[in-house]
């Protein structure tokens, strides 16, 4: 699934280009992309001086700071003439398959800028996957008492046989084999050399 709704990004850029204040020199419409969000900045606040975060978006009338640009974009099919861009940005997010509450777009404005923040729809999932992976790594790094005792035997005698381990730890053959396999999978021990002349190395404990 995409990180951001294409329709929402498109509408945000169109709004930024059409409604920006072109009398503000040294500034431009620009995008900042972070791990968890995409932010689109546009020079100039609301045309009537109000703050978008204090308004009900459903009741904001269509006011065009640059009517000629708005007409051109409308003729190109990049915007509708009734000025429903902000609602489209929200609706596209709400209809996304991977949308969750709390991911709705955010709008902010002051005297000098208008800002749209679009949340990364996959960020929470990626964050949870990273946390689970870190948790699994932490769990795998913890050795049980039996695994520690077996490692001590291998450090004392790197060529010890499984039969000798069975006797010293009073374990069954299958239990020894399963424990050693877990240690190999964790990267704790490694068998080096040939089958006959090989030996065990304890790489970490």
């Amino acid at each position: 699934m995409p990180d951001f709704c294409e329709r929402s990004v498109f509408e945000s850029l169109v709004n930024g280009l059409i409604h920006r204040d072109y009398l503000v020199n040294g500034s431009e419409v620009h995008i900042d992309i972070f791990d968890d969000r995409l932010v689109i900045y546009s020079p100039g606040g609301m045309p009537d001086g109000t703050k978008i975060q204090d308004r009900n978006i459903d009741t904001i009338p269509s006011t065009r700071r640059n009517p000629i640009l708005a007409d051109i974009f409308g003729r190109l099919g990049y915007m509708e003439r009734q000025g429903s861009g902000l609602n489209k940005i929200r609706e596209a997010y709400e209809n996304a398959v991977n949308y969750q509450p709390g991911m709705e777009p955010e709008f902010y404005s002051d005297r000098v800028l208008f800002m749209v923040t679009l949340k990364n729809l996959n960020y929470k999932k990626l964050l949870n996957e990273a946390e689970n992976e870190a948790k699994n790594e932490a769990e795998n790094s913890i050795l049980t008492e039996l695994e520690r005792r077996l490692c001590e035997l291998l450090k004392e005698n790197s060529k010890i046989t499984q039969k000798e381990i069975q006797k010293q730890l009073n374990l069954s053959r299958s239990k020894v084999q399963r424990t050693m396999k877990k240690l190999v999978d964790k990267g704790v021990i490694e068998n080096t050399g040939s089958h006959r002349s090989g030996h065990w190395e304890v790489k970490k404990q």
Side-chain angles (χ1 to χ4, degrees):
M1 299 300 295
D3 290 340
F4 307 98
C5 290
E6 181 180 351
R7 183 67 181 181
S8 298
V9 176
F10 178 83
E11 289 290 340
S12 298
L13 285 172
V14 168
N15 281 343
L17 292 169
I18 292 176
H19 299 301
R20 67 153 289 183
D21 187 349
Y22 284 92
L23 296 178
V24 178
N25 295 322
S27 187
E28 60 190 3
V29 175
H30 67 276
I31 304 173
D32 285 341
I33 301 178
F34 305 90
D35 290 339
D36 62 336
R37 66 194 187 281
L38 180 152
V39 184
I40 299 177
Y41 302 86
S42 179
M46 296 283 286
D48 60 3
T50 61
K51 296 180 179 180
I52 187 69
Q53 61 270 23
D54 298 334
R55 302 282 300 273
N56 181 351
I57 292 176
D58 295 326
T59 62
I60 296 177
S62 177
T63 303
R64 297 176 178 180
R65 179 180 275 122
N66 305 296
I68 295 177
L69 274 180
D71 183 65
I72 293 173
F73 273 69
R75 292 173 185 273
L76 291 171
Y78 292 157
M79 68 168 292
E80 295 181 6
R81 293 174 182 264
Q82 68 267 30
S84 57
L86 298 184
N87 280 322
K88 285 184 179 179
I89 294 170
R90 292 193 310 180
E91 291 169 1
Y93 256 70
E94 292 170 358
N95 293 325
V97 175
N98 47 347
Y99 171 82
Q100 297 179 20
M103 291 182 173
E104 54 274 359
E106 296 177 356
F107 305 101
Y108 172 86
S109 70
D110 57 26
R111 184 177 57 83
V112 296
L113 68 84
F114 190 97
M115 182 171 67
V116 180
T117 301
L118 304 176
K119 307 293 181 62
N120 184 331
L121 293 169
N122 295 318
Y123 182 70
K124 287 186 178 180
K125 180 181 177 182
L126 294 173
L127 195 62
N128 290 335
E129 290 176 353
E131 289 176 351
N132 290 334
E133 185 177 343
K135 181 179 178 181
N136 292 334
E137 288 180 357
E139 290 176 349
N140 290 334
S141 66
I142 300 174
L143 300 183
T144 65
E145 179 62 27
L146 174 58
E147 291 170 341
R148 284 196 294 270
R149 290 171 61 194
L150 199 153
C151 286
E152 291 298 329
L153 291 179
L154 296 179
K155 289 169 71 175
E156 293 172 3
N157 180 6
S158 63
K159 294 188 177 183
I160 191 172
T161 64
Q162 289 189 3
K163 187 173 291 187
E164 292 172 329
I165 294 174
Q166 287 177 239
K167 291 180 181 180
Q168 294 199 42
L169 298 181
N170 192 26
L171 299 173
S172 66
R173 180 182 178 185
S174 61
K175 182 65 173 179
V176 171
Q177 290 176 336
R178 288 198 302 270
T179 305
M180 294 188 75
K181 184 179 185 305
K182 286 182 180 179
L183 289 172
V184 171
D185 292 341
K186 290 180 180 181
V188 176
I189 64 174
E190 181 182 19
N191 191 287
T192 59
S194 63
H195 180 70
R196 290 186 176 182
S197 61
H199 65 279
W200 289 98
E201 288 186 5
V202 179
K203 304 182 74 65
K204 59 181 181 179
Q205 188 172 351

